[in-house]
């Protein structure tokens, strides 16, 4: 097929068909909607609690706030499309809307990875250098690290969005469950292989670059905890390390399956790939606010004080 006369404007909208062969659309849509609402509620609550309590205006809580904001963006980029398809039956997405969702979703993906790295850095400094923590990681430095992580994410994903926008599209069907880079590249009228280089480079930087640093950071924390003289303090710190590592596992586990296993010959069909996409989009934003709210004594205490100041009064019958 000649591509001479094709441009991105040849496709006005995309039709997403990833759910077509699955039953119980309304039930699945209701489940995704519930998960999305809970993720929004948890992340928004963490942001509100931290921003309104001046005692929580410290580096660790600024990083938790950043992760909550990233979670909202990450899950919104994909969940709104899936909910619209499953509950409203609207399978079409305009070209520019799809491209913007590609940018939002992948920006959330990159910045979440970097946010987890910053959380690991914070805990490493706090436990390994407790006396110097306040001077090493100040609020200003934490904010600077957050800004740098967002700029890196915008630069990386801006490049992917630019590549996708330059391609000619002649088949307006996306076989996945929402708009992401892989789906939109496979909808183009070109051989997709040359266009995986930049995305693979970013993926390897996040997976092979950031994950080992996070694992080494928490490994160092465990080693430090085991050397603590106080058993009670060591147990409390060890539980903190484990709770912080749960979001890392929930974020990287689907990527491990989709990236590593497929490299060693494991073949995933379209349904399995879509299932991994849905899990990777919904599970981390659900787990993160729960872990950081329930496991953090100061956030939990602030929430309890809010409820005690504003008790639910019984209605007068």
């Amino acid at each position: 097929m000649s591509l001479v006369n094709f441009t991105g404007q040849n496709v006005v909208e995309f039709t997403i068909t990833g759910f077509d062969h699955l039953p119980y659309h309304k039930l699945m849509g209701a489940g995704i909607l519930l998960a999305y609402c809970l993720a929004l509620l948890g992340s928004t609550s963490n942001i509100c609690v931290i921003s309104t309590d001046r005692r929580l205006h410290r580096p660790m809580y600024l990083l938790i706030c950043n992760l909550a904001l990233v979670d909202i963006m990450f899950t919104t980029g994909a969940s709104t499309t899936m909910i619209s398809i499953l509950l409203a039956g609207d399978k079409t997405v305009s070209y520019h809307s799809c491209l913007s969702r590609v940018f939002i979703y992948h920006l959330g993906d990159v910045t979440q990875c970097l946010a987890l790295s910053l959380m690991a850095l914070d805990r490493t400094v706090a436990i390994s250098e407790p006396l110097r923590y306040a001077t090493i990681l100040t609020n200003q430095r934490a904010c600077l690290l957050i800004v740098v992580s967002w700029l890196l994410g915008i630069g990386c994903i801006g490049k992917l969005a630019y590549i996708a926008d330059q391609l000619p599209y002649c088949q307006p069907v996306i076989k996945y469950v929402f708009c992401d880079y892989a789906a939109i590249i496979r909808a183009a009228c070109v051989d997709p292989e040359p266009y995986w280089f930049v995305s693979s480079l970013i993926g390897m930087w996040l997976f092979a670059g950031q994950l080992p640093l996070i694992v080494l950071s928490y490994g160092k924390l465990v080693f430090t905890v085991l050397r603590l003289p106080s058993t009670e303090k060591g147990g409390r710190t060890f539980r903190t390390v484990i709770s912080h590592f749960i979001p890392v596992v929930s974020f990287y586990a689907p990527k491990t399956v989709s990236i590593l296993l497929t490299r060693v010959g494991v073949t995933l069909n379209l349904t399995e790939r879509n299932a991994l996409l849905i899990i990777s989009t919904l599970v981390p934003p659900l787990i993160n606010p729960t872990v950081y709210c329930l496991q953090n004594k100061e956030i939990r205490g602030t929430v309890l004080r809010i409820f005690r100041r504003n008790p639910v009064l019984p209605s007068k019958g």
Side-chain angles (χ1 to χ4, degrees), residues 236-300:
R236 187 169 62 250
T237 308
F238 187 75
R239 287 193 298 271
T240 300
V241 172
I242 294 299
S243 67
H244 278 244
F245 198 65
I246 290 174
V248 176
V249 173
S250 70
F251 178 75
Y252 277 103
K255 294 184 182 299
T256 302
V257 174
S258 61
I259 294 176
L260 288 187
L261 295 187
T262 53
R263 294 294 185 274
V264 296
V266 177
T267 303
L268 300 176
N269 59 38
L270 187 61
T271 302
E272 291 167 341
R273 288 182 180 275
N274 284 335
L276 280 174
L277 280 173
I278 295 172
I279 291 170
S280 66
T281 303
L282 294 177
V283 172
L286 273 174
I287 288 179
N288 293 346
T290 305
V291 166
Y292 292 118
C293 180
L294 296 181
Q295 292 294 325
N296 190 283
K297 183 173 66 177
E298 291 180 284
I299 293 180
R300 196 166 62 245

Side-chain angles (χ1 to χ4, degrees), residues 2 61 63 68-69 85-86 91 114 122 130 137 139 165 183 194 203 216 262-263 266 309:
S2 173
Y61 298 101
L63 296 176
L69 181 61
I85 295 169
L86 293 169
K91 298 193 294 183
L114 296 176
D122 171 78
L137 195 61
N139 283 353
D165 191 38
L216 287 173
T262 53
R263 294 294 185 274
V266 177
R309 285 201 305 264

Side-chain angles (χ1 to χ4, degrees), residues 59 76 97 154 166 175 181 200 273 280 283 295 302 304-305:
T76 298
S97 176
I154 291 171
Q166 298 304 304
K175 297 179 181 179
Y181 182 76
S200 298
R273 288 182 180 275
S280 66
V283 172
Q295 292 294 325
T302 300
L304 290 175
R305 284 194 296 272

Side-chain angles (χ1 to χ4, degrees), residues 18 49 53 66 94 110 131 141 156 170 172 177 182 229 281 300 307 317:
V49 168
D53 191 340
N66 174 59
S94 71
V110 171
L131 299 179
R141 287 174 181 169
C156 292
C170 52
V177 291
T281 303
R300 196 166 62 245
F307 278 105

